[in-house]
Amino acid sequence: MSSNKIRKSGGAEPDEFEASVAQELLNLEMTSDLKSSLRDLYITAAKEVDCSGGRKAIILYVPFKLLKSFNKIHQRIVRELEKKYSGRQVLIIAQRTILGKSYTRSQNTTGLRPRSRTLTAVQDAILDDIVYPTEIVGKRTRCKVDGKRILKVYLDSKDQPNVETRTATFADVYNKLTNKQVSFHFA
């Protein structure tokens, strides 16, 4: 029954952890007032990521077309899943495609690679997904003398009490997904 809450590409079987997350989503749909909202929603993958300080985070990958629907009930889903998986923070990220520079379309259509499929655009969108309830108000790239680049991200200060404890997890997850250093500040 939980198999309708996770649909992997190519019809692959979900692993044990993904199946448990899908089962929790199904339980949420059956028991909470989210029934109508969760009925048509599903995830494509779930991953557990180790963060600094011995913490863990759960990343739920959702189809890009369903991201807006997930965002409508984002806070309630995250709150409920964090209760079930105590000590772990839950993040919802859209499954996006990156097309290389040498991308060529099929014979029927012509045109360039869409800007939304470039590496930079996808990484920016992942950052937006990670900090979702909060808005990013500014970004700066700090280039150090030794050649390291650190992305400084300024978040909306009105959400500071809710998000401040999660910024270390955000930075760790973004580093794992994109291999870029990021630090979060409030403006």
Side-chain angles (χ1 to χ4, degrees), residues 1-7 22 26 29 39 41-43:
M1 188 69 177
S2 67
S3 62
N4 65 356
K5 284 294 166 196
I6 183 163
R7 298 184 193 161
L26 187 66
E29 181 183 340
R39 186 177 307 122
L41 302 182
Y42 59 91
I43 61 174

Side-chain angles (χ1 to χ4, degrees), residues 3 8 12 17 28 33 47 74 78 82 97 112 114 116 124 154-155 159 178:
S3 62
K8 299 194 61 88
F17 179 70
L28 269 178
D33 58 337
K47 218 166 50 168
H74 182 277
V78 167
E82 284 179 353
T97 306
L112 300 171
S116 64
D124 285 346
Y154 295 95
L155 302 175
D159 296 321
T178 64

Side-chain angles (χ1 to χ4, degrees), residues 146-157:
D146 62 354
K148 286 187 179 175
R149 290 171 170 240
I150 296 178
L151 183 65
K152 285 185 174 183
V153 177
Y154 295 95
L155 302 175
D156 200 349
S157 58

Side-chain angles (χ1 to χ4, degrees), residues 1-166:
M1 188 69 177
S2 67
S3 62
N4 65 356
K5 284 294 166 196
I6 183 163
R7 298 184 193 161
K8 299 194 61 88
S9 61
E13 284 296 312
D15 63 22
E16 198 175 303
F17 179 70
E18 290 173 333
S20 73
V21 171
Q23 185 61 45
E24 289 301 331
L25 283 173
L26 187 66
N27 293 345
L28 269 178
E29 181 183 340
M30 296 301 175
T31 58
S32 70
D33 58 337
L34 298 171
K35 187 175 184 106
S36 61
S37 308
L38 274 173
R39 186 177 307 122
D40 298 327
L41 302 182
Y42 59 91
I43 61 174
T44 57
K47 218 166 50 168
E48 193 169 32
V49 175
D50 293 325
C51 298
S52 61
R55 291 168 296 138
K56 292 188 181 235
I58 297 173
I59 303 173
L60 300 181
Y61 289 99
V62 300
F64 177 73
K65 290 182 177 184
L66 296 179
L67 183 64
K68 278 192 175 162
S69 304
F70 268 101
N71 283 348
K72 287 178 185 170
I73 54 174
H74 182 277
Q75 289 179 320
R76 288 165 42 201
I77 287 177
V78 167
R79 189 180 329 115
E80 292 298 323
L81 287 175
E82 284 179 353
K83 282 183 199 171
K84 301 281 191 228
Y85 296 101
S86 60
R88 300 178 191 158
Q89 294 182 350
V90 178
L91 304 170
I92 298 174
I93 298 176
Q95 188 82 47
R96 291 187 170 84
T97 306
I98 299 172
L99 299 175
K101 285 185 177 181
S102 61
Y103 171 73
T104 53
R105 291 180 179 258
S106 65
Q107 300 291 55
N108 302 346
T109 57
T110 58
L112 300 171
R113 165 179 66 156
R115 291 278 187 249
S116 64
R117 307 288 196 290
T118 62
L119 178 68
T120 309
V122 169
Q123 288 178 344
D124 285 346
I126 287 173
L127 188 60
D128 287 338
D129 289 350
I130 286 175
V131 300
Y132 169 65
T134 308
E135 289 182 10
I136 295 174
V137 294
K139 290 182 200 169
R140 303 284 183 272
T141 304
R142 167 113 162 76
C143 298
K144 292 191 171 182
V145 179
D146 62 354
K148 286 187 179 175
R149 290 171 170 240
I150 296 178
L151 183 65
K152 285 185 174 183
V153 177
Y154 295 95
L155 302 175
D156 200 349
S157 58
K158 71 176 170 41
D159 296 321
Q160 186 169 357
N162 305 336
V163 180
E164 198 163 25
T165 58
R166 300 170 64 101

